[in-house]
Amino acid sequence: MANWVDIGVIAVLNGLAIGLLLFVVAVGLSLVFGMMDVLNLAHGAVFVAGAYVAWWVVGGSPTWTGWLAALGVALAVGALAGGGLLLMTGPLARRSHLEQALLTLGVALVVAELLSLAFGEDVRSVSPPPGLGGTVSVLGNAYPAYRLLLIALGAGLAVAAHVVVERTPLGALVRATVADRDMVAAVGIDARLVRAGVFVVGSMLATTAGVLGSPIYSPRPGLDSTILILALVVVVIGGLGSVRGALVAALLIGQIESTGRALLSDLASFLLFGSLAIVLALRPRGLFAGAIGGQH
Amino acid sequence: MSLRVRDLRSGYRQGEVLHGVDLDVDRGRALALLGRNGAGKSTLLLTLMGLVRPTGGSVRLDGRELAGARTDQIARAGVALVPQGRRIWPTVTVREHLVLANRRGGGGRAWTIDGVLDLFPGLAVRRRHVGWQLSGGEQQMLAMARSLLTGPSVILLDEPSEGLAPAAVDQVASAVRTVIDGGVAVLLVEHDLHLAFAVADSVAVLARGAVVHQVDTAAFRRDPDTAHRLLGVAT
């Protein structure tokens, strides 16, 4: 019996860490899709680029300086990637989702191939910052210290994103642009700047998540599509353009992923897509789509 | 002279809707734009706001050419839109609507947030509510308040009475008159002819994408046969 409880505590903590990381990845994807109608299938590749930055800068000999440098480089890479994708998808703004998906999927494949060429085909493990490589005791269970830091950082980022989007004038502008960008332009605001800002910040969050997640999700070929699929499931379940929806969905998917793997490892993917199917059957526009309204 | 539209053409992928519209609206005056469904009234307002791209012709506001400009540039030049269906932002609070719109435009009277809340007292008590929580009448007030705060010299009003209770229609009418008296030019698309006649100085009838008739409101009302022929309704 005690064994089940121990598995439970560890699975819940793992789910929390994965869920918060997924939120940081997915919130940018959700806002970009909700606001610009651009389905950015290169978002997973942007995350992986951040993870490779961590391996390249930190590698197997971690220092705090190295970790901070990796975060700095990843933010710059994220800004460049966001800017580049923005320029590429701009001309397709009024075209179909299929055309945008083909373009960004092509970008994702090219980036993934370039990353493989640059960093090789091997799984690259990244060590946590000094002092966080060991375990601490949580309710009598040994638990990796770095994952607790990840939970704290992820929670901090989630709270910050929520406060900025839901409680500030800048966030009101983002919500208004998600709901009806034409009316944002009609009050004299250049909506292109809002869209560019969200695209770039969303990509910077993805590379940041890539660095923070690299000790758990070791960078390797194929990780980009794993992360992209998880993020897309979060966006679909949470509802497009909803920060609160993305948070709830990410925490839910985190728990399904980790508890599923701990208890029924053969059925983990089934649980993930089964829950997606249930949400789509009951609430086709996502759990929080009601708050977005039916403007489109 | 304020808004001067000449030979304006626009449309959608399926074809041209406006085939050369001419009209003028002066500051402190209101022009009611009437016409049957599908005549191009809403398309005209969306084209003036830059939300449908004009394919030809000229839109001048106090001499400045606006045809072909981006919507946000047109708004900052002093044109504001109260669109059909209000299109307020459902997840944005009343207060945030007003803050986002505040002083983005130029040219017209400088409305303040307190000023529009005095004009629409119903909104003041709903400050913290988000758009989808408001009634139809409150949404209409908010759409008008949002347009006023941009400081427009011209307001384009598309069906402000649509779906509103009679008391709310009266409130819209009195607010529109206050706006006109403040020196703003108003272009009003309205099916409710009582409301249109109550606020408009003159009437233009749009048919098949062009203005086919333009007279003073009083003259239009004295000539019910023409009105019936153009609109297919009794006035």
Side-chain angles (χ1 to χ4, degrees):
Chain A
M1 195 64 203
N3 191 27
W4 280 99
V5 173
D6 293 347
I7 290 178
V9 170
I10 288 172
V12 165
L13 286 174
N14 278 341
L16 205 52
I18 294 170
L20 288 166
L21 195 66
L22 271 182
F23 169 74
V24 178
V25 181
V27 70
L29 191 65
S30 180
L31 286 177
V32 163
F33 198 179
M35 174 181 289
M36 299 194 245
D37 234 14
V38 170
L39 180 58
N40 178 17
L41 294 182
H43 205 66
V46 175
F47 170 93
V48 172
Y52 274 117
V53 164
W55 175 74
W56 181 56
V57 177
V58 176
S61 52
T63 60
W64 280 100
T65 324
W67 267 88
L68 292 176
L71 280 172
V73 174
L75 286 173
V77 168
L80 286 174
L85 283 163
L86 184 72
L87 289 177
M88 281 187 267
T89 51
L92 298 182
R94 305 262 170 194
R95 305 277 279 276
S96 72
H97 288 162
L98 180 63
E99 286 167 277
Q100 295 167 0
L102 287 174
L103 173 75
T104 55
L105 185 62
V107 171
L109 293 173
V110 170
V111 169
E113 198 58 35
L114 288 175
L115 289 171
S116 287
L117 285 175
F119 299 106
E121 301 281 332
D122 300 330
V123 176
R124 302 297 190 179
S125 58
V126 181
S127 306
L132 295 171
T135 59
V136 291
S137 174
V138 178
L139 299 177
N141 302 283
Y143 193 75
Y146 178 73
R147 294 195 179 196
L148 290 179
L149 175 72
L150 188 60
I151 290 172
L153 286 176
L157 279 171
V159 168
H162 184 270
V163 168
V164 167
V165 173
E166 301 292 339
R167 295 273 177 270
T168 67
L170 195 63
L173 184 53
V174 170
R175 275 176 281 134
T177 312
V178 168
D180 192 337
R181 59 188 164 193
D182 282 350
M183 289 313 298
V184 171
V187 299
I189 299 169
D190 189 349
R192 296 175 310 170
L193 295 177
V194 188
R195 287 144 68 183
V198 168
F199 212 131
V200 168
V201 171
S203 290
M204 290 165 79
L205 283 172
T207 49
T208 303
V211 172
L212 296 177
S214 60
I216 298 173
Y217 289 103
S218 304
R220 61 180 178 273
L223 178 60
D224 55 328
S225 44
T226 307
I227 294 294
L228 177 66
I229 287 168
L230 288 172
L232 284 175
V233 170
V234 166
V235 169
V236 172
I237 289 183
L240 296 177
S242 165
V243 172
R244 215 173 354 151
L247 180 59
V248 171
L251 292 174
L252 185 71
I253 294 304
Q255 290 306 330
I256 289 172
E257 268 285 280
S258 85
T259 337
R261 288 204 191 286
L263 300 177
L264 306 158
S265 56
D266 295 342
L267 297 176
S269 317
F270 174 80
L271 287 175
L272 177 67
F273 292 106
S275 52
L276 176 64
I278 290 170
V279 169
L280 283 178
L282 299 177
R283 298 286 301 264
R285 294 168 61 91
L287 289 177
F288 284 76
I292 296 293
Q295 288 283 317
H296 292 289
Chain B
M1 186 58 61
S2 191
L3 184 71
R4 195 181 178 90
V5 179
R6 289 293 175 271
D7 195 31
L8 186 64
R9 294 166 179 276
S10 84
Y12 305 94
R13 211 171 285 179
Q14 299 90 325
E16 194 174 80
V17 175
L18 303 180
H19 308 297
V21 170
D22 297 312
L23 54 84
D24 297 312
V25 196
D26 295 339
R27 281 176 189 269
R29 311 275 282 176
L31 174 67
L33 196 61
L34 307 180
R36 300 177 195 234
N37 286 334
K41 304 184 297 287
S42 289
T43 302
L44 174 57
L45 297 197
L46 292 174
T47 305
L48 293 175
M49 198 68 232
L51 291 169
V52 173
R53 279 196 88 75
T55 49
S58 159
V59 177
R60 284 178 180 273
L61 182 61
D62 297 327
R64 180 174 168 192
E65 181 59 56
L66 296 179
R70 286 199 318 270
T71 298
D72 58 294
Q73 294 170 324
I74 293 172
R76 289 196 297 273
V79 182
L81 172 68
V82 180
Q84 190 168 26
R86 295 120 200 178
R87 291 175 70 171
I88 61 152
W89 300 303
T91 52
V92 174
T93 67
V94 168
R95 172 90 197 165
E96 287 170 337
H97 271 83
L98 304 180
V99 169
L100 285 181
N102 199 12
R103 281 190 281 271
R104 300 285 178 177
R109 169 180 165 182
W111 284 86
T112 61
I113 289 179
D114 288 340
V116 295
L117 290 178
D118 283 345
L119 187 62
F120 302 115
L123 286 181
V125 294
R126 302 285 261 159
R127 262 189 308 249
R128 291 172 185 281
H129 291 79
V130 294
W132 64 265
Q133 295 172 317
L134 304 180
S135 70
E138 288 165 342
Q139 290 187 359
Q140 189 62 51
M141 306 300 154
L142 181 56
M144 290 186 66
R146 178 174 66 180
S147 73
L148 287 176
L149 280 169
T150 66
S153 10
V154 180
I155 292 191
L156 315 170
L157 277 168
D158 200 349
E159 300 282 0
S161 77
E162 192 180 38
L164 297 190
V169 174
D170 291 345
Q171 215 181 339
V172 167
S174 103
V176 172
R177 275 193 294 267
T178 307
V179 169
I180 298 166
D181 292 344
V184 173
V186 169
L187 184 56
L188 172 73
V189 169
E190 183 54 65
H191 274 121
D192 179 346
L193 292 178
H194 294 290
L195 174 58
F197 293 156
V199 299
D201 305 285
S202 52
V203 170
V205 178
L206 202 63
R208 291 178 300 280
V211 173
V212 293
H213 189 64
Q214 184 164 4
V215 288
D216 287 351
T217 303
F220 190 79
R221 299 187 74 173
R222 281 195 303 271
D223 188 4
D225 292 342
T226 305
H228 187 259
R229 179 170 53 81
L230 291 170
L231 302 175
V233 293
T235 56

